[in-house]
Amino acid sequence: MNESKVIVGIGEALWDILPEGKKIGGAPANFAYHVSQFGLQSYVVSAVGEDTLGEEIRNTFQKKELQSLLATVPYPTGTVDVEVDEVGVPQYIIKENVAWDNIPFTPELEALAHRTCAVCFGSLAQRNSVSRDTIHRFIDAMLECDESLIIFDVNLRQGFYNKEILDYSMQRCNVLKINDEELVEVSRILGYPDIDFQSQCQSLLEHYHLRMLILTCGINGSYIFTSGNTSFLPTPQVKVADTVGAGDSFTATFTASILKGLSVTEAHRRAVAASAYVCTQHGAMPLLPKEFTTL
């Protein structure tokens, strides 16, 4: 991979308000942070408000040595109230009409897109037309090449999605990341028949001409579907602190591994190990041990 190229997580940057206090969060920020731990040049693209929480996000990213392109907009910095159940699974209450709903497309952002070899975006940040348009324009501005990864990480939250957003995003991506519960809902919305999940994944892979489809099934393992091949790995048994950010660390580790030239099978193995470790830590952005990030 050309080291002048960058990997971008674009969308929500916010504070998860957890029972033990607030933690920096947002799937794109989590993704970009974990990618950066592999020695790759990554950026998080989002927006914050002119408030203390926004300044704290900037300071936190600086402390974590995470590069960012954060617009300051006249909306409050985003927060999410997170309640974790008895088995560590989070429930989210996401505040609306906040800064990351209003990410502007700027000349600086367009220039960054020209250098981007991989981008990860989700459905949540497309709930508002401003950020949705910015994400689409960013993808349009990326320099297309065979190695580019455009990753749509489905994150269905509180009804902030619809058929148009899902269909358009899957048309634009070449890697789809989805979990088992989201697969059921996406298949229902898009009108796929009620068939077994592997057939549904193969149908999505073929219909949208995807390079890869990543399916995570919680404690029931994970799959990587490519044309003609399926990789399955069980989920390691660990003592769970919470599962916040585990899926993002999976996506980031898999992406970094592929960009570093590893096989799909080895990238999958490393992604499973990293996400299991994140489950043992509180919050979405723990420092990964060196054995996970040395490729």
Side-chain angles (χ1 to χ4, degrees):
M1 188 190 71
N2 187 332
E3 294 299 329
S4 67
K5 298 295 184 181
V6 299
I7 300 95
V8 169
I10 184 170
E12 62 272 18
L14 47 82
W15 289 103
D16 287 324
I17 311 301
L18 296 155
E20 66 272 16
K22 72 178 189 293
K23 299 279 188 180
I24 197 79
N30 299 338
F31 169 84
Y33 172 68
H34 287 301
V35 165
S36 74
Q37 296 191 69
F38 289 84
L40 297 173
Q41 188 177 10
S42 67
Y43 275 80
V44 55
V45 172
S46 190
V48 296
E50 297 183 70
D51 49 30
T52 301
L53 289 177
E55 188 61 29
E56 288 180 344
I57 283 180
R58 293 184 187 277
N59 292 338
T60 300
F61 287 166
Q62 288 178 358
K63 289 177 182 177
K64 290 182 175 292
E65 299 182 347
L66 174 58
Q67 298 181 94
S68 62
L69 193 57
L70 299 177
T72 302
V73 295
Y75 297 88
T77 297
T79 58
V80 178
D81 293 330
V82 184
E83 296 181 0
V84 181
D85 67 19
E86 63 276 5
V87 294
V89 177
Q91 302 294 323
Y92 304 94
I93 302 173
I94 305 168
K95 303 298 174 62
E96 298 185 58
N97 199 30
V98 293
W100 57 261
D101 285 315
N102 296 278
I103 305 168
F105 190 77
T106 62
E108 292 80 10
L109 187 53
E110 184 174 15
L112 181 65
H114 293 330
R115 299 170 53 210
T116 298
C117 67
V119 62
C120 185
F121 69 103
S123 51
L124 179 58
Q126 297 185 69
R127 68 181 182 177
N128 181 278
S129 61
V130 176
S131 290
R132 183 166 64 248
D133 180 66
T134 292
I135 290 169
H136 295 174
R137 292 177 68 182
F138 185 93
I139 294 170
D140 288 341
M142 287 176 62
L143 181 63
E144 291 188 16
C145 65
D146 292 340
E147 294 78 26
S148 293
L149 297 177
I150 302 174
I151 306 151
F152 176 43
D153 187 356
V154 179
N155 50 349
L156 306 183
R157 299 282 188 268
Q158 290 182 214
F160 296 131
Y161 55 90
N162 57 41
K163 181 178 180 179
E164 181 182 9
I165 288 173
L166 295 172
D167 181 61
Y168 183 84
S169 297
M170 285 190 276
Q171 288 182 43
R172 298 306 312 276
C173 74
N174 55 25
V175 178
L176 175 64
K177 161 73 176 345
I178 192 167
N179 67 34
D180 50 351
E181 293 180 351
E182 292 165 342
L183 178 63
V184 172
E185 177 69 357
V186 168
S187 297
R188 182 191 67 79
I189 291 172
L190 296 180
Y192 278 75
D194 187 16
I195 52 179
D196 66 275
F197 72 90
Q198 293 198 46
S199 297
Q200 288 175 329
C201 288
Q202 290 292 350
S203 294
L204 288 169
L205 190 77
E206 295 169 8
H207 180 78
Y208 290 102
H209 308 290
L210 303 172
R211 287 176 56 183
M212 290 173 276
L213 188 152
I214 303 167
L215 174 68
T216 57
C217 303
I219 63 172
N220 296 315
S222 58
Y223 298 78
I224 310 292
F225 296 91
T226 59
S227 179
N229 292 287
T230 301
S231 172
F232 169 77
L233 286 173
T235 300
Q237 292 186 348
V238 297
K239 184 177 180 180
V240 175
D242 65 56
T243 60
V244 179
D248 304 323
S249 68
F250 186 112
T251 310
T253 301
F254 184 82
T255 300
S257 299
I258 292 295
L259 292 174
K260 288 279 190 174
L262 274 61
S263 68
V264 169
T265 300
E266 178 61 15
H268 188 190
R269 186 189 69 79
R270 288 177 176 270
V272 167
S275 61
Y277 174 79
V278 170
C279 287
T280 69
Q281 307 296 302
H282 288 290
M285 293 189 187
L287 186 66
L288 296 175
K290 288 293 184 183
E291 60 262 31
F292 293 115
T293 59
T294 302
L295 301 182

